[in-house]
Amino acid sequence: MSTAQTSVNPSTGKLVIAWALVGVPLGYGVYETLTRVAALFG
């Protein structure tokens, strides 16, 4: 039996950082939008 080793190459790290740079502000914007909509209709 062989054991599979997963290696993280530099492009994977850059991809994770890029998604974080996009995802964090996007998530914050969605959160702010939902709280303001709830205040508007609530």
Side-chain angles (χ1 to χ4, degrees):
M1 287 192 109
S2 64
T3 59
Q5 295 179 352
T6 58
S7 62
V8 177
N9 54 7
S11 65
T12 303
K14 289 180 182 178
L15 186 65
V16 169
I17 291 171
W19 272 106
L21 287 174
V22 171
V24 171
L26 180 64
Y28 177 73
V30 169
Y31 172 76
E32 286 293 317
T33 301
L34 292 177
T35 55
R36 291 183 185 196
V37 166
L40 183 64
F41 290 110

